[in-house]
Amino acid sequence: DQQVKQNSPSLSVQEGRISILNCDYTNSMFDYFLWYKKYPAEGPTFLISISSIKDKNEDGRFTVFLNKSAKHLSLHIVPSQPGDSAVYFCAASGSSGTYKYIFGTGTRLKVLA
Amino acid sequence: DTGVSQNPRHKITKRGQNVTFRCDPISEHNRLYWYRQTLGQGPEFLTYFQNEAQLEKSRLLSDRFSAERPKGSFSTLEIQRTEQGDSAMYLCASRTGGNQETQYFGPGTRLLVL
């Protein structure tokens, strides 16, 4: 049972354009969501998070949008840069217990120069 | 600022051997997690420590797996009688207490069982 889904395994975007990565979840108990970036042979690096009390959070070139009714979140990267090329994972957590993360399967972003 | 460190970074072993990995969390973090990532998948939760207490173990953590955090600082993950299916990246993450604090990941230990 995949509670967090990233349905696009890969995405290619031209440098300077917007990258939009999508994530869907099924568990309505999730209330904290994060995006991580991962390079090969390295651990995930935290990018940005959003609590369920918000619908948008911005940090520089990165913006995360949360649509609770649709159980959908997205990560926007503007403008995209070649250094953004990596695998992006979304993760979700509930508000009690261990706060363990449930991850999606990742989207490989390639930013073309 | 020292991040999460993991050792070794790579381990190759033969089927049936025991292996042990170490994780050193960020010093003020009292919560520690182990995850496993296989090819094409996202990280999957294995186990969780709050200080030295192991409070949750995933069903993925078979009897051959054991994790400890004896003094509430570093943690070890041991796999006994390794199998080829244990080949994966083992990731450690830590965070402070509090409800929605971000987990910070180490670089991982890549295990290959031949």
Side-chain angles (χ1 to χ4, degrees):
Chain A
D1 177 27
Q2 191 74 27
Q3 298 186 69
V4 177
K5 300 178 185 178
Q6 293 177 256
N7 291 319
S8 298
S10 63
L11 174 69
S12 291
V13 171
Q14 284 295 131
E15 181 179 7
R17 306 296 291 267
I18 184 171
S19 295
I20 300 176
L21 295 91
N22 294 302
C23 180
D24 296 292
Y25 62 96
T26 57
N27 190 334
S28 58
M29 300 303 291
F30 289 150
D31 64 356
Y32 187 55
F33 305 89
L34 310 95
W35 286 93
Y36 283 84
K37 174 179 176 180
K38 189 176 185 300
Y39 294 115
E42 294 184 12
T45 300
F46 170 70
L47 274 178
I48 192 167
S49 62
I50 187 167
S51 167
S52 60
I53 62 173
K54 295 185 174 181
D55 55 18
K56 177 182 174 181
N57 189 27
E58 273 184 271
D59 184 1
R61 297 187 297 114
F62 302 93
T63 302
V64 56
F65 295 91
L66 176 62
N67 182 334
K68 288 186 292 294
S69 61
K71 294 190 177 68
H72 177 83
L73 65 154
S74 61
L75 174 68
H76 293 207
I77 306 173
V78 182
S80 301
Q81 299 173 354
D84 296 329
S85 297
V87 179
Y88 289 77
F89 291 96
C90 68
S93 173
S95 60
S96 63
T98 63
Y99 303 98
K100 64 189 176 192
Y101 291 168
I102 308 299
F103 283 85
T105 52
T107 296
R108 181 177 300 278
L109 173 67
K110 188 171 184 179
V111 180
L112 306 170
Chain B
D1 179 29
T2 304
V4 178
S5 61
Q6 292 187 246
N7 288 288
R9 293 290 309 273
H10 305 273
K11 180 71 177 178
I12 300 174
T13 191
K14 292 182 179 179
R15 185 163 50 96
Q17 298 294 304
N18 300 343
V19 295
T20 299
F21 310 141
R22 176 178 170 127
C23 170
D24 287 273
I26 294 169
S27 59
E28 63 269 25
H29 288 185
N30 63 345
R31 316 292 174 99
L32 187 147
Y33 301 78
W34 285 96
Y35 292 83
R36 180 173 70 185
Q37 185 177 16
T38 53
L39 200 61
Q41 301 297 316
E44 295 176 289
F45 169 77
L46 290 179
T47 191
Y48 163 72
F49 288 87
Q50 182 173 323
N51 299 309
E52 66 275 11
Q54 187 176 20
L55 298 185
E56 184 172 345
K57 293 195 294 186
S58 162
R59 57 181 173 76
L60 293 176
L61 216 65
S62 77
D63 292 345
R64 298 182 298 104
F65 287 71
S66 62
E68 294 183 341
R69 196 181 182 198
K71 297 182 181 178
S73 57
F74 73 90
S75 176
T76 58
L77 178 67
E78 181 183 14
I79 310 174
Q80 296 182 327
R81 305 180 304 282
T82 52
E83 301 174 355
Q84 288 183 325
D86 297 330
S87 296
M89 171 79 90
Y90 289 85
L91 294 161
C92 176
S94 70
R95 70 175 181 94
T96 59
N99 290 347
Q100 288 181 343
E101 295 296 328
T102 299
Q103 295 177 29
Y104 293 92
F105 283 81
T109 295
R110 181 166 294 284
L111 173 67
L112 178 61
V113 182
L114 301 176

